[in-house]
Every structure is written in structure tokens, then in C-alpha cells.
Amino acid sequence: MTVSLKTVTLNDTHRKLGAKMVPFAGYDMPVRYSSDLDEHHTVRRAVGIFDVSHMGEFRVRGPQALDLIQRVTSNDASKLTDGKAQYSCLPNNDGGIVDDLLVYKLADEDYLLVVNASNIEKDWNWIQQHNTQGVEMEDISDRTSLFAVQGPKAIAALQPLTDVDLASIPYYSFVQGTFAGAPDVIISATGYTGAGGFELYIPNEYAAAVWDKIMIAGQAHGIKPIGLGARDTLRLEMGFALYGNDIDDTTSPLEAGLGWITKFTKDFTNAENLKKQKEAGVNKKLVAFVMDGQGIPRGHYELVDAEGQKIGDVTSGTQSPSLSKGIGMGYVKTEFAAPGTQIFVQIRGKNLPATVNKLPLTKGAEV
Amino acid sequence: MNLPATLHYTKDHEWIRVEGDVAYVGITDHAQKELGDIVYVDIDTLDKEVAQHDVFGTVEAVKTVSDLFSPITGTVLEVNAKLADSPETVNSDPYGDGWMVKISIAKPEELEELLSAETYGELVGV
């Protein structure tokens, strides 16, 4: 069976840059341009640009837009003011998560939801199913490009391209303005790396020109294109969950450590059951850990205690380029979830020690 | 793509260099490129006998882990000690300093089944 992959607008650009392309969430995406390690360090130490145009964007408008968003998401979107964004999730009715997402408030009665590429259709159908009051929804995924420009030099690299004062945009805030000649770009101080920087939502017709201008403006700051491989190592060092790995239709937001975006001050899908779960306490928790010595955890490896009894499973793992050690995330029985707890990862028949850590895992490390 | 004609290759992307009754084994340039930055080479078969196609170790890149399959039957005589501290040598010099194990050749006839540089090159599309 041949599965035809969708392509982002700049597919040719990535190929010309020598990227290794892989199927990801139904898209043909750049996983690596040069080296995962080099790309990772570039973002931590300077600035890198990611094309993450595979992500989905829904525009949600109308008098009942906020009401709909409040009913389907777990965080409290009524707290958003114009120009603010919020991390949230779509709980399902069975205790799990349909998707995690960003909610942007563009203006009163005008919101943008940013969802995972792999879940665009599922999320659309889920939200539409709850759209009983005629809220105007538009899937603009196929005409929107998204570049993440991340790293400590991001402001310096991008400022020459816009009159918007980038340094004045607080974390999880955004400004809509002209950027590199493209009008109405959402310049959002968000990201999935922990390195600081911006995510830029751009109409497809301007994407190629904006990419080129960023590459030129960033040259003096050492900008490089960054693939999905380094995106994964960067987010794992921060302990950011990845839908499909660390959270899914079966994991509760409370188990996943997303209690901080689960607000029982309002009503939403499955709130009652989640509230009961919160009061009763969860049986397992998503934790992040660092290997004490050698060994690299990978998804689906087993987590065990000192006696070798199973206590959970690894959901994501990698070598941390910043720590030069194996790091991972996984669900463990609640009694093993406190930072400092010794756990063991079963790697090729050996139980190798690891320690549950606070986030970010890079805290205190020279990056 | 770098494919020395003097080596033999396998479908699993290992190469083998015969020197008398022993052979050096590593992974191909294509394999190291596909894996990306190699951060750990885990071989615990030193002094052990391995059969052709058996796993003799694993190679860990930042993003993936891959088994290493022995191209021939023999005893693992030596593991490249340099890779413990410098696993990235597999990326920079896959056919030279990035070799992984030295193995005795128990069944010389198995060498006949291995791929030439040309055949392997066709397999990986070069």
C-alpha cells in the first residue's frame, strides 16, 4: 500500500538544504539537516529555525466561540486577554486526552486553536461534535505555515525583520504584525524547546520569502535549520509531553502532570470524573528521569524497582545532548514519582539505574 | 556514497574486511548517515561465539537504537576500545577507525554469500 504523504510549502527548500526527510504525522518532514547533536546545540546556544507547518490551525469565531472552547478544553480560556496564548488539552469522555493544544485569543469572539498534525481530523470532528451553537469554525491548516525560531539569539536574529518590538512580547503572548514583508503574521513568544524564541504563523504564499529572509538575517547569529530529531531532544530535556508518546486517548491529564491546565472552576468534557480522580489521587504519574550512568531509555522499555518488579513504562527517551546522558519520560506507580526517587530502566536485559528529576532536566547544566 | 570495493557487505548494512583468517566488522557509511550521531556502541559478545546473522551488539544514535548483526560465524576476538570514549568515530570514519569487532572466520564459505560494493550500492540506491 502506498500512503501519499502531505507536503509543507517549503518541502523543496528542505530537500535542497540536504535534509533527511521522513514520514511524520502524515507529512514528509525534515528530521535532520546535518547532525542531531549539532542542531540541538545550535538551538540551546544560538538560534535555529524549524518548519513545523504540519501543525494544525483552527480559527474559531462568533458570540459562542469562548463557550465552545471552554466546554471542550481543560484550561480556563476566559482568563485569556487579547494577545495571550494558553496551553490546554481536549479531554475525552473516557478519562483520556483527545489532544493537547494552544489556544490563542486574537480578539473577543475570535480564537485560534493550534493542534497536533496527527490529530487535525480527530480534533476537528471532536470539536464540531460539541459545536451545538453554530460557532464558526475554519480549518486553516492547509494555508498556514508555521516556523519556530528558537534559541537565545532569536530576538537578535529576527528584530531587523519587523517593527514589532520583539523583546517586549512576554512568554505566551503574541503580536500580529508585518514580518519580513508578510502582513498579519502572528508573532508568538512560545515554543517547544525551552530555549526561548518565537513561533511565526504565516500565510503559505509568504512562507518561502519569510524563510529566506530569516536565514539571511540570522546568518550573523549562526542560524541553522533544525529537524524534528533535535526538536524531540530539546522538548524531552524540558519534560514537555508529546502527544502519541507521553499522552494519548488513554492517559489522564492528571496522570500526565497536566493538573495545572485542568481547571475545575468551569465545566468541561469529563470534568466530573477528572475531579473525582483528583480527589482520590492517581495511581500512576508521568515523570522525567535521568540515567545515573550508561544506557539510553527508549519508548516502551520497562521501568522497574530495585527488586526488578515492574513499576511502569518509558514513553519517550533519548540521549540528552546537553547532559550527555540518557533521559526519558514515563509513567510510574505514584509512590515512585517524587523527584530523587531511584528507578531502573530495563535495557537489553539489564536494569540500569536512573533518578526521577525535576524539570527541566537541564537545570544547572552547562548547555 | 563511500563504498570501498575491497570490502564485503550485508543487507543489514554491515561491512566486513577479511585479513587472513580474521575479519573486521563495522557499519556502512549509509548506515551511519541513516542513524545520525552515534553516542554509544554496546557490544557484550567479546570472546563469545556468534553465528552468522546473530546479534553481536547494538549501536545507539541520539534518536534510535539498532542491532548489529554478524556477517559471519566466528568468535569475537576484539572490540574496538576506542569507541567507548569516541563512539562518534563510527560517523566520521565508518570503514576505518570506526570498526566495531574483530572476529575469527569459522566458516570461510559464508564469505561467498556476502554482497559486493556494487550489489550493496544498488540495494541502498546509489
Side-chain angles (χ1 to χ4, degrees):
Chain A
M1 190 179 73
T2 312
V3 182
S4 75
L5 290 174
K6 294 181 83 171
T7 53
V8 294
T9 305
L10 266 59
N11 186 279
D12 282 346
T13 302
H14 304 311
R15 291 181 177 278
K16 279 178 194 147
L17 285 164
K20 175 175 159 60
M21 305 295 285
V22 297
F24 182 85
Y27 286 78
D28 185 42
M29 295 299 288
V31 69
R32 183 195 309 137
Y33 296 85
S34 57
S35 135
D36 296 320
L37 292 173
D38 182 55
E39 290 171 30
H40 180 105
H41 294 315
T42 297
V43 173
R44 283 269 179 266
R45 297 167 184 166
V47 56
I49 178 169
F50 305 73
D51 184 351
V52 283
S53 300
H54 59 311
M55 299 287 286
E57 294 89 8
F58 304 153
R59 194 84 181 258
V60 181
R61 273 180 283 198
Q64 300 300 321
L66 177 60
D67 179 72
L68 172 61
I69 291 167
Q70 286 289 65
R71 283 187 289 118
V72 296
T73 66
S74 60
N75 206 341
D76 186 356
S78 74
K79 302 284 189 203
L80 288 171
T81 53
D82 296 1
K84 289 282 179 191
Q86 154 183 102
Y87 181 54
S88 195
C89 77
L90 301 171
N92 65 24
N93 284 313
D94 312 311
I97 300 171
V98 178
D99 201 3
D100 61 341
L101 76 164
L102 290 182
V103 180
Y104 287 81
K105 185 176 184 188
L106 305 176
D108 278 342
E109 304 182 5
D110 192 354
Y111 293 84
L112 182 72
L113 308 184
V114 181
V115 303
N116 283 298
S118 53
N119 292 334
I120 292 174
E121 195 181 345
K122 182 176 76 162
D123 294 355
W124 176 266
N125 292 338
W126 178 260
I127 301 169
Q128 277 295 5
Q129 193 185 312
H130 292 81
N131 185 8
T132 49
Q133 295 170 291
V135 172
E136 187 191 331
M137 277 182 60
E138 194 185 358
D139 181 354
I140 59 168
S141 307
D142 285 344
R143 54 182 164 87
T144 307
S145 290
L146 173 57
F147 301 151
V149 181
Q150 302 275 295
K153 303 272 181 68
I155 290 177
L158 298 181
Q159 190 59 74
L161 299 175
T162 181
D163 291 335
V164 173
D165 179 16
L166 298 176
S168 70
I169 308 177
Y171 194 45
Y172 269 79
S173 299
F174 66 93
V175 173
Q176 276 182 283
T178 301
F179 184 92
D184 299 323
V185 171
I186 295 177
I187 305 167
S188 170
T190 48
Y192 196 45
T193 65
F198 299 88
E199 293 180 302
L200 306 166
Y201 297 85
I202 304 151
N204 282 352
E205 58 267 35
Y206 295 100
V210 170
W211 174 278
D212 289 344
K213 286 178 184 171
I214 293 172
M215 290 296 277
I216 291 165
Q219 206 164 26
H221 305 280
I223 199 167
K224 287 180 187 170
I226 313 295
L228 293 178
R231 185 170 167 82
D232 195 52
T233 55
L234 287 157
R235 70 93 191 169
L236 256 175
E237 288 184 344
M238 303 312 291
F240 295 153
L242 172 63
Y243 193 90
N245 282 34
D246 314 303
I247 52 176
D248 61 27
D249 293 303
T250 68
T251 59
S252 141
L254 302 172
E255 292 167 344
L258 300 179
W260 64 282
I261 58 162
T262 308
K263 301 291 169 60
F264 297 111
T265 48
K266 57 156 212 172
D267 193 32
F268 61 91
T269 314
N270 206 33
E272 206 171 309
N273 288 327
L274 289 172
K275 197 172 179 189
K276 279 183 201 155
Q277 187 181 46
K278 188 182 178 182
E279 284 157 7
V282 293
N283 296 323
K284 61 174 183 177
K285 277 189 178 172
L286 183 62
V287 298
F289 56 87
V290 178
M291 300 303 294
D292 292 351
Q294 68 172 39
I296 302 170
R298 307 284 181 187
H300 309 298
Y301 285 5
E302 284 193 5
L303 295 168
V304 299
D305 64 14
E307 280 74 50
Q309 298 296 311
K310 184 170 177 182
I311 59 167
D313 291 286
V314 177
T315 51
S316 293
T318 188
Q319 171 85 347
S320 160
S322 299
L323 302 174
S324 296
K325 279 183 181 175
I327 59 170
M329 291 172 75
Y331 286 91
V332 294
K333 290 180 181 172
T334 302
E335 60 264 38
F336 293 92
T341 305
Q342 174 103 92
I343 58 173
F344 296 83
V345 187
Q346 215 158 63
I347 301 178
R348 295 186 284 279
K350 291 178 204 149
N351 297 341
L352 301 177
T355 303
V356 175
N357 261 66
K358 285 185 187 164
L359 298 176
L361 298 176
T362 49
K363 205 168 192 170
E366 188 89 10
V367 298
Chain B
M1 177 151 315
N2 185 8
L3 283 176
T6 50
L7 306 179
H8 302 283
Y9 299 87
T10 73
K11 287 189 193 114
D12 301 314
H13 311 290
E14 282 89 18
W15 57 261
I16 178 167
R17 184 176 78 239
V18 177
E19 287 189 6
D21 56 357
V22 298
Y24 288 83
V25 175
I27 65 168
T28 65
D29 189 37
H30 172 78
Q32 69 79 15
K33 277 193 184 125
E34 288 293 308
L35 289 167
D37 294 301
I38 289 162
V39 291
Y40 187 50
V41 180
D42 186 8
I43 298 169
D44 55 5
T45 47
L46 183 63
D47 299 328
K48 293 206 172 98
E49 260 183 56
V50 292
Q52 190 178 30
H53 310 308
D54 270 5
V55 173
F56 69 87
T58 50
V59 57
E60 299 252 18
V62 174
K63 297 304 308 165
T64 48
V65 55
S66 184
D67 283 332
L68 298 165
F69 299 96
S70 183
I72 56 166
T73 302
T75 301
V76 177
L77 304 171
E78 189 181 342
V79 174
N80 185 355
K82 188 179 177 177
L83 300 184
D85 289 331
S86 308
E88 68 277 5
T89 310
V90 178
N91 293 116
S92 58
D93 191 8
Y95 301 116
D97 286 349
W99 65 274
M100 291 177 170
V101 291
K102 187 166 119 182
I103 185 168
S104 67
I105 302 171
K107 299 177 179 172
E109 65 275 17
E110 287 172 348
L111 297 171
E112 306 297 319
E113 303 165 24
L114 300 170
L115 308 178
S116 67
E118 195 183 348
T119 311
Y120 177 73
E122 283 165 14
L123 183 77
V124 297
V126 291

